[in-house]
Amino acid sequence: MSDMELWHNPRCSKSRAAKAALDEAGVEYTERRYLDEPPTADELDAVLTRIGAEPWDVARLNEPVAKELGLKDLERDRARWIEIMVANPVLLQRPIVLTGEAAVVARDDESVRKALDSQ
């Protein structure tokens, strides 16, 4: 088992690019298709802490479900947002790369490099 994990959505171009960069770098990692295997509230809370972000910082607010739930106007209560994101994992920005004690939302080459450098 690797110390690196990729929370991945293969239908997302940013996620596919991050996966390709990890493959090209030759690193071992565990791929987690988080839409099929959503994080628990505790897992998401821990990952957010590792990223140094709040749930609203990594929420996809343009998703239809975000609009249905009125997330843009929802009170910023960390536990409530985590609960919503666990129930609707499509709301998570992707991909997320976890390495050791760090984690990054790896939506660009610089973020992927940061993840690789922190392993």
Side-chain angles (χ1 to χ4, degrees):
M1 182 73 91
S2 164
D3 286 341
M4 184 177 283
E5 184 172 31
L6 171 67
W7 287 13
H8 178 58
N9 176 355
R11 291 179 289 177
C12 170
S13 62
K14 302 279 187 190
S15 194
R16 288 192 310 269
K19 183 177 181 352
L22 295 178
D23 290 343
E24 186 176 307
V27 298
E28 290 186 31
Y29 62 92
T30 302
E31 179 181 331
R32 180 175 183 169
R33 294 190 178 191
Y34 70 94
L35 295 177
D36 299 329
E37 186 187 340
T40 65
D42 287 342
E43 286 176 317
L44 183 54
D45 185 49
V47 166
L48 289 168
T49 298
R50 288 166 68 179
I51 292 172
E54 294 296 338
W56 44 87
D57 297 329
V58 298
R60 298 175 55 84
L61 297 177
N62 290 325
E63 288 290 329
V65 69
K67 292 176 181 179
E68 290 169 22
L69 294 169
L71 283 189
K72 283 185 180 178
D73 300 319
L74 187 66
E75 178 184 351
R76 294 198 166 176
D77 175 299
R78 183 179 173 101
R80 177 71 180 124
W81 275 71
I82 287 173
E83 178 184 313
I84 289 168
M85 293 175 88
V86 166
N88 302 279
V90 71
L91 294 173
L92 282 170
Q93 286 288 350
R94 66 221 174 217
I96 296 175
V97 178
L98 296 85
T99 62
E101 296 300 315
V104 296
V105 178
R107 296 189 54 77
D108 56 37
D109 292 339
E110 183 179 330
S111 298
V112 174
R113 277 192 301 277
K114 181 180 175 183
L116 289 168
D117 291 344
S118 71
Q119 70 167 5

